[in-house]
């Protein structure tokens, strides 16, 4: 009889009493001899030891799934996989776990993890998977505020959400209840937005896509309720959102999260617009495209904005400074000249500040993202100590942030991957709701260039960081 411990990390997201509940999991496996469901004494002892190691007050439930290799008939293998799962469940109960905390399933020869063409592969497939699922509540105060508003479901409405100009277009009779009936009267909509790595770190939302990572340009969660009961968007309806981007990364896509599996589905590529004018932060373009207003910080033009005006040819521009007031026209007369005419930038592509017409066909979590590949990847086996070199125990989730990107990536605390060349920051959450951090400078001093085991001395910032805004100030003090 062979046994193997394999640790994996999965994440699911639930809303419980105004809090985000993230779930992490560790997976262990038991392997069986051919055509057998017996557990020898050594394996039974190992399972009991797993209970002592993995069962805690934070354990939500255990998933037990039995499998076989492809030898024999499909029906026989289905029965055998059930017998294997039942054998493991019996030991779990003998070890003190309650039946209601155990979810059992059996799938026969389905879902092999190795080829059934070799004896080694068959041995890998003759298994029972045990997934230990833990719950972790992330306090409401550490998350971005949820914006709540009500509308008449039968009339619909256009609603501005947040301070950045995002607009929801809700059509009439757009919602149905759990029975599929049209919802009448007032409904409540909730909109929660995540615009930087600090807000994403506390969200518990996965930021990986297939074999890539997300560099987010903005993420939001939209939900609806009628009489405090969840509603859905009708099949023949959709909510349209004009979304204010937090960042303008290249090659953006629009994604929706499958909250059960923790995986993302790409809905569409976001279409970039062609431009022949210079690109600046916070720019305002005159409707006819002949001038652009951008904010500047220049001592010689205190309190002034810059007006970039086209001079005849498509890429021939001049720049002036003037103090702008509401209602001012784009009149260059009397403005101080900053530069002479010339090619300030080449024509190219850009994303507008607001992406119009994104279609929302179901409530949930959506993301505007650039996908990138992790370079100089290293795998870290981690131990954590506090300022007094005492090991930090009761750890729950590690959030790894590379300050080069807008994203936070969750891992089981014991193992994580990162870029050796990254501007890495670590945030460690514990089950007793303490927050520890390792700064970019402290991570760099480790001199990590290859995979291996490392010890990280963390700083307790629990009392310094009470919300995502304070965490953003901690991570990005110069922003």
């Amino acid at each position: 009889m062979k046994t193997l411990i394999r640790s994996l990390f999965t994440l699911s997201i639930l809303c419980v009493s105004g809090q985000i509940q993230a779930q992490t999991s560790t997976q262990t496996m038991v392997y069986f001899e051919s055509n057998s469901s017996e557990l020898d004494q050594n394996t039974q002892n190992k399972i009991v030891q797993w209970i002592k190691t993995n069962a805690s007050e934070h354990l939500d439930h255990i998933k037990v799934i039995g499998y076989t290799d492809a030898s024999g008939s499909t029906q026989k293998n289905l029965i055998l996989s059930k017998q294997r799962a039942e054998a493991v469940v019996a030991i779990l109960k003998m070890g003190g776990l309650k039946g209601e905390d155990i979810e059992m399933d059996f799938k026969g020869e389905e879902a092999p993890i190795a080829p059934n063409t070799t004896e080694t592969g068959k041995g890998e497939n003759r298994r029972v998977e045990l997934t230990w699922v833990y719950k972790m509540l992330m306090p409401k105060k550490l998350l971005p505020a949820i914006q709540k508003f009500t509308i008449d479901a039968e009339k619909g409405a256009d609603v501005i959400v947040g301070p950045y100009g995002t607009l929801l277009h809700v059509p009439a009779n757009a919602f149905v209840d759990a029975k599929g009936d049209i919802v009448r009267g007032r409904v409540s909509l909730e909109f929660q937005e995540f615009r930087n790595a600090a807000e994403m770190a506390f969200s518990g939302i996965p930021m990986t896509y297939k074999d890539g990572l997300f560099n987010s340009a903005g993420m939001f969660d939209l939900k609806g309720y009628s009489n405090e009961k969840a509603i859905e968007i009708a099949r023949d309806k959709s909510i349209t959102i004009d979304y204010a981007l937090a960042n303008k990364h290249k090659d953006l896509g629009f994604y929706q999260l499958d909250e059960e599996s923790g995986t993302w589905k790409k809905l569409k590529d976001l279409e970039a617009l062609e431009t022949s004018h210079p690109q600046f932060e916070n720019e305002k373009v005159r409707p006819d495209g002949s001038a652009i207003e951008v904010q500047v910080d220049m001592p010689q033009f205190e309190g002034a904005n810059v007006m970039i005006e086209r001079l005849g040819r498509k890429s021939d521009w001049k720049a002036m400074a003037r103090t702008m007031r509401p209602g001012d026209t784009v009149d260059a007369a009397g403005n101080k000249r900053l530069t002479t005419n010339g090619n300030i930038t080449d024509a190219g592509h850009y994303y507008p500040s607001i992406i119009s017409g994104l279609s929302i066909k179901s409530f949930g979590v959506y993301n505007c993202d650039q996908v990138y590949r992790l370079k100089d990847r290293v795998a870290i086996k981690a131990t954590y100590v506090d300022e007094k070199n005492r090991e930090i125990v009761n750890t729950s989730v590690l959030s790894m942030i590379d300050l080069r990107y807008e994203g936070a990536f969750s891992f089981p605390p014991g193992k994580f991957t990162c870029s050796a060349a990254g501007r890495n920051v670590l945030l460690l959450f514990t089950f007793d709701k303490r927050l520890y951090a390792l700064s970019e400078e402290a991570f760099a001093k480790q001199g990590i260039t290859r995979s291996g085991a490392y010890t990280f001395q963390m700083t307790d910032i629990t009392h310094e960081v009470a919300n995502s805004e304070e965490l953003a100030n901690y991570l990005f003090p110069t922003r």
Side-chain angles (χ1 to χ4, degrees), residues 202-385:
F202 283 109
S203 73
I205 297 174
M207 294 295 292
T208 57
Y209 177 69
K210 296 183 178 179
D211 59 346
L213 305 176
F214 276 154
N215 184 21
S216 182
M219 178 167 61
F220 61 89
D221 185 4
L222 180 64
K223 292 193 168 39
Y225 301 90
S226 175
N227 296 322
E228 299 184 351
K229 294 182 179 179
I231 57 177
E232 293 295 336
I233 300 173
R235 289 187 177 181
D236 61 340
K237 301 286 185 176
S238 64
I239 294 175
T240 302
I241 183 169
D242 299 337
Y243 185 65
L245 293 177
N247 300 284
K248 298 182 183 179
H249 307 310
K250 295 180 179 179
D251 302 321
L252 291 176
F254 188 47
Y255 301 81
Q256 181 180 11
L257 179 67
D258 182 330
E259 298 186 27
E260 290 188 4
S261 66
T263 59
W264 292 90
K265 176 184 178 181
K266 187 174 184 179
L267 302 180
K268 61 179 292 186
D269 290 315
L270 297 185
E271 184 177 353
L273 304 179
E274 292 188 1
T275 179
S276 59
H277 70 69
Q279 296 301 301
F280 300 95
E281 292 295 321
N282 303 316
E283 67 178 34
K284 297 179 181 178
V285 183
R286 197 161 69 172
D288 63 6
S290 64
I292 309 160
E293 176 194 335
V294 293
Q295 297 177 348
V296 294
D297 182 14
M298 302 178 69
Q300 65 269 43
F301 299 114
E302 184 177 355
N305 287 1
V306 170
M307 192 66 63
I308 310 291
E309 190 170 56
R310 188 174 357 231
L311 295 179
R313 295 195 306 275
K314 200 171 185 180
S315 58
D316 204 13
W317 303 80
K318 66 178 179 180
M320 290 125 335
R322 61 174 300 186
T323 301
M324 301 299 296
R325 297 183 299 276
D328 275 358
T329 60
V330 186
D331 182 2
N335 289 327
K336 299 178 181 179
R337 187 178 294 265
L338 293 180
T339 66
T340 57
N341 59 343
N343 257 340
I344 298 178
T345 186
D346 292 331
H349 295 81
Y350 76 105
Y351 289 102
S353 297
I354 294 181
I355 298 291
S356 299
L358 296 177
S359 179
I360 306 296
K361 294 186 176 297
S362 61
F363 289 119
V365 182
Y366 292 83
N367 211 338
C368 296
D369 271 288
Q370 174 195 66
V371 178
Y372 70 96
R373 300 291 183 266
L374 186 64
K375 297 180 180 180
D376 301 310
R377 180 191 297 264
V378 289
I380 305 297
K381 183 177 181 182
T383 301
Y384 308 94
V385 297

Side-chain angles (χ1 to χ4, degrees), residues 380-387 389-393 395 397-399 411-416 426-428 436 438 454-458:
I380 305 297
K381 183 177 181 182
T383 301
Y384 308 94
V385 297
D386 62 17
E387 295 94 328
N389 282 319
R390 297 172 298 194
E391 185 173 358
I392 300 172
V393 296
T395 57
V397 173
L398 177 75
S399 184
F411 295 92
K415 296 180 180 180
F416 67 92
L426 302 183
L427 298 173
L428 181 66
Y436 295 86
L438 185 76
Y454 297 89
T455 298
F456 300 96
Q457 187 171 49
M458 313 293 288

Side-chain angles (χ1 to χ4, degrees), residues 160-174:
I160 296 177
V161 289
Y164 306 103
T166 292
L167 179 64
L168 294 179
H169 305 276
V170 183
N173 299 313

Side-chain angles (χ1 to χ4, degrees), residues 448-462:
I448 296 174
T449 59
R450 62 183 66 185
S451 300
Y454 297 89
T455 298
F456 300 96
Q457 187 171 49
M458 313 293 288
T459 300
D460 189 338
I461 61 171
T462 305

